[in-house]
Structures are given as structure tokens and as C-alpha cells.
Amino acid sequence: MTKNTKKIVTTALVAAIYATLTLVLGAISYGPIQFRISEIMVLLPFIRKDYIWGLTIGCFLANIIGPYGAPDIILGTTATFLSVYAVYLTSKIMKGNKYALLVASFWPTVINAIIIGAMLNIFVGMPLILAMLQVGFGQFVVITIIAVPLYKSLEKKYFKLLENAF
């Protein structure tokens, strides 16, 4: 398999897993307090930059079918792209720092709280601060509380496979 073929297949696989997890668990994936289990994957760019596109496309696909329509397709996808890019940048800037992963895990919480909180305020009429706090809470639980320890437990055994996926 050529390198480009591996990139396309891996990107498609990541996108499919993200979108499928979001849609199958739709009852908890959308709304002001959302626990998108697929968001566990947003730490993948900490390993390799190449995961950014799969996650962004996966979010886009999940938001096409989601309940918020065009605003979520545009703003939700943008929030995911900015989040995963910030995770990647943190891995580079703080390389070797034992707190880098923890710091990286805060970006999706903050970025989504701001962007999706504002979207819910503008398009659904939720109070801005409440919407931001609720979105941020869901992101924090899934990414910092669940994904960081999961990542750490899998790091030594499986991450060489993920690094070599491309």
C-alpha cells in the first residue's frame, strides 16, 4: 500500500469512527450538555498531525445529520478543526513536558465552550454563559477526565501503531 493510500484510508477510518460514535450515541452527543464519546479521539493529533483531517471530516459528517443544521455543520466543524489543531500544536510546543497532554486536553473544552456556546445562544436562544458552561462541562468530562487517563494507559503499548499508521 502506498503512503498516500495509507493516509486516505486512515483519514477515512478516523472520520467514520468519529461520525459513527457520535451518531449511534446521538442522545448524548448533541445539545447543551453533550457527552460526545467520539471526542475521546481529539487527542489523536497529539500523536500525529495527520489525524486532524479525519477528525474534522468525522465531525462534519456527524453534524450534517445532527439536529442543529447549517450552524453546527459550519461552527461545530470549525470548532473541532481549531481544537485538534491546538492539540497538535501543544504537542509540538510542549514536547517532552509531562503536563503537555493535560494542557492539550483543555483546548477542545475552551474552544467548543466558546464557539458552540455562542452558537446555542444565537440559534437556540440559550443564555450565553449557561450554554458555554454546559458545553465546556461535557467536553471536560469526556476529554480531560476520560480521554487523558485512557490515552496514558494505552500510550506505551499501542501508540507506536498509531504513529506508524500513515
Side-chain angles (χ1 to χ4, degrees):
M1 188 180 311
T2 69
K3 188 171 181 143
N4 283 341
T5 304
K6 279 177 81 172
K7 278 188 176 192
I8 291 168
V9 169
T10 303
T11 298
L13 186 59
V14 168
I17 292 168
Y18 183 100
T20 301
L21 278 173
T22 302
L23 294 167
V24 167
L25 300 170
I28 61 170
S29 296
Y30 299 97
I33 299 180
Q34 53 183 262
F35 297 100
R36 273 196 186 187
I37 302 305
S38 54
E39 289 287 295
I40 288 171
M41 298 173 65
V42 300
L43 295 178
L44 285 173
F46 198 84
I47 301 166
R48 272 189 82 94
K49 178 181 178 181
D50 299 303
Y51 290 107
I52 291 171
W53 291 113
L55 292 164
T56 303
I57 293 165
C59 179
F60 173 78
L61 293 172
N63 290 342
I64 284 176
I65 299 169
Y68 294 111
D72 201 23
I73 294 167
I74 296 165
L75 297 173
T77 303
T78 300
T80 294
F81 173 76
L82 294 173
S83 296
V84 295
Y85 191 70
V87 167
Y88 164 73
L89 287 177
T90 303
S91 75
K92 295 301 163 210
I93 293 168
M94 296 183 69
K95 192 172 186 95
N97 185 312
K98 68 180 183 177
Y99 298 108
L101 181 63
L102 184 62
V103 170
S105 78
F106 295 137
W107 288 117
T109 298
V110 172
I111 291 168
N112 278 279
I114 293 168
I115 294 174
I116 304 306
M119 180 192 84
L120 291 170
N121 171 257
I122 294 165
F123 295 102
V124 181
M126 284 188 65
L128 179 62
I129 299 302
L130 178 62
M132 292 171 117
L133 288 172
Q134 288 180 333
V135 171
F137 174 74
Q139 288 289 109
F140 180 78
V141 168
V142 171
I143 299 166
T144 305
I145 303 294
I146 298 172
V148 169
L150 179 63
Y151 183 104
K152 286 300 205 180
S153 71
L154 299 173
E155 189 173 33
K156 290 184 176 106
K157 190 169 184 179
Y158 297 104
F159 282 11
K160 285 294 179 203
L161 293 171
L162 294 173
E163 287 174 354
N164 297 323
F166 286 92

